[in-house]
Amino acid sequence: MNANRWAIDIDRDDITQARLVEEAREPLAPGQVRVHLDSYAMTANNITYAVFGQPAGLFGNDQGYWDFFSEPGAPGRLPVWGFATVTEGAVEGVAAGERFYGYYPMASDAVLTVGKAGPGGFTDVTPRRTTLPPIYNQYQRIEALEGYRAADNDYWPVFRPLFLTGWLIADQFADEGDYGADQILIASASSKTAIGLGFTLKQRPEPRPETVGLTSAANVEALAAQGIYDRVISYDQIMTLNAAAPAALVDMAGNGAVTRVVHSHFGNNLMASIVVGKSHWDAQADVEGLPGPQRQGFFAPGRSQKRIADWGGAAFGAKIAEAWTAFMDVAPRLAAIDTRKGGEAALAAYREMLSGAADPRKGIVVVP
């Protein structure tokens, strides 16, 4: 195998089946560039992409996350967030050697089709991607990234997309008057999206709802020490919460057993139940006949588009940059960077995250 050019193929129907393959160097079509990935992150969010690789209605059409980098019928290519350098291509406005932050396949190299390039970057206009959420198709020049600091480089792929999702969830809570809740329960509280949500909620002035992180018993002490949440408890302590105090659930786990306990304990005092991800990807959903509110999905690209329409793109970017910079001041104490190199290490990192063996106190960065 060419150690410098590889990709990881995943069975669309069984995400536990993944293999490292040699990636052929196909000639570029007009308008295309080839990029080499400098680094990307492997997080529980990527497992959610794999779980929803097949069409699941998220995009309002018959597409899923596999469609970003895989043609129908081909093995799945997992989307990841990271940095890449242009190595080849003759496209106006994009030069070899330029670096871009964005959405790439889990591979050493990728081919992108450049839309109109500008000072901030460009949009990939590969036909299968034009009917997918535009936020995933934007490639931003390093020099144009609002809030970018070189010292934070490794934390961008690890935290940035997840922090943005957490920030947007917090924004929705503020927009909805916290759904009338006095306490916000956040399941899979050690996940990076949950940490972004908890951090953002805690920046709000009092009075605000209490944030309660729900996690496994083994994680409680370390997670509580981070100070992200007002309180951290284990899943088996949910029944100790005050059921008379109106609550809301933000579910990053997708674990039906946890969801049922929360809904059953609070009943009609559960004011909202919001589904964000599925870090417990192999747990049964078990959501039929739940007491309390109907569960509602949260889709970050849709919320982003709403706020861009409300505020304008520049104001939206400025708000995110301000929040992100504040978060970056504490991120190094929340997660150490665990760097892996090469295709074999990339495959091992995927399997580790899939199995749940990854250390939540570390951010895995793969350097192809």
Side-chain angles (χ1 to χ4, degrees):
M1 178 178 297
N2 186 330
N4 296 319
R5 201 161 49 244
W6 53 265
I8 293 174
D9 282 348
I10 300 173
D11 189 312
R12 290 170 178 250
D13 299 314
D14 181 359
I15 63 173
T16 66
Q17 301 301 309
R19 63 192 184 98
L20 185 65
V21 298
E22 184 174 354
E23 182 77 331
R25 183 179 176 280
E26 298 180 357
L28 298 178
Q32 291 184 330
V33 296
R34 195 183 318 277
V35 300
H36 178 75
L37 272 70
D38 302 320
S39 63
Y40 69 81
M42 177 53 53
T43 70
N45 185 51
N46 300 104
I47 303 306
T48 297
Y49 292 152
V51 171
F52 294 105
Q54 302 279 26
L58 289 175
F59 304 145
N61 54 29
D62 62 351
Q63 291 180 287
Y65 282 101
W66 294 137
D67 292 296
F68 283 97
F69 299 111
S70 311
E71 295 294 344
R77 292 282 170 86
L78 186 67
V80 295
W81 290 94
F83 294 98
T85 299
V86 177
T87 58
E88 184 182 355
V91 178
E92 184 177 355
V94 178
E98 287 192 290
R99 295 183 68 218
F100 292 87
Y101 172 77
Y103 209 50
Y104 299 101
M106 188 161 58
S108 62
D109 300 82
V111 174
L112 307 174
T113 306
V114 178
K116 184 178 180 181
F122 66 90
T123 299
D124 188 304
V125 294
T126 301
R128 67 173 179 274
R129 296 183 66 168
T130 57
T131 49
L132 292 163
I135 194 171
Y136 292 119
N137 297 334
Q138 297 169 2
Y139 293 85
Q140 298 172 277
R141 299 179 196 276
I142 299 292
E143 300 80 9
L145 286 176
E146 291 189 270
Y148 178 82
R149 301 181 302 200
D152 304 329
N153 186 84
D154 287 343
Y155 287 94
W156 269 78
V158 169
F159 270 117
R160 176 69 175 203
L162 308 178
F163 176 80
L164 174 58
T165 299
W167 186 88
L168 289 166
I169 298 167
D171 172 69
Q172 181 166 301
F173 265 87
D175 209 22
E176 297 292 339
D178 297 315
Y179 298 94
D182 292 335
Q183 50 187 333
I184 300 175
L185 283 53
I186 304 173
S188 195
S190 63
S191 71
K192 293 172 178 61
T193 303
I195 287 172
L197 170 60
F199 176 87
T200 304
L201 289 171
K202 206 166 185 182
Q203 305 312 298
R204 285 173 46 181
E206 300 283 358
R208 59 166 177 78
E210 179 187 31
T211 57
V212 182
L214 307 179
T215 189
S216 62
N219 290 337
V220 169
E221 184 177 353
L223 191 58
Q226 292 180 347
I228 295 296
Y229 305 101
D230 296 315
R231 188 162 31 137
V232 178
I233 65 172
S234 61
Y235 294 121
D236 59 9
Q237 294 176 313
I238 291 172
M239 300 292 286
T240 67
L241 294 171
N242 181 6
L249 172 65
V250 182
D251 184 11
M252 314 288 180
N255 187 321
V258 171
T259 302
R260 186 163 293 279
V261 170
V262 172
H263 275 252
S264 299
H265 183 60
F266 286 95
N268 290 332
N269 277 335
L270 189 65
M271 314 307 291
S273 182
I274 299 172
V275 187
V276 181
K278 193 163 174 58
S279 60
H280 297 184
W281 67 274
D282 54 351
Q284 292 297 317
D286 186 29
V287 294
E288 295 299 322
L290 289 174
Q294 183 175 350
R295 306 189 86 205
Q296 58 178 288
F298 180 84
F299 189 47
R303 186 69 188 178
S304 293
Q305 289 167 2
K306 178 187 185 305
R307 280 317 201 188
I308 290 170
D310 291 343
W311 301 332
F316 177 78
K319 287 175 182 288
I320 290 294
E322 181 181 5
W324 171 252
T325 301
F327 181 66
M328 280 295 94
D329 288 340
V330 303
R333 72 171 173 80
L334 302 179
I337 297 299
D338 179 4
T339 302
R340 315 286 181 87
K341 294 186 178 182
E344 294 286 356
L347 181 57
Y350 170 74
R351 288 174 172 162
E352 184 178 323
M353 191 61 63
L354 195 67
S355 71
D359 186 342
R361 295 165 297 181
K362 294 182 178 180
I364 297 177
V365 171
V366 176
V367 178

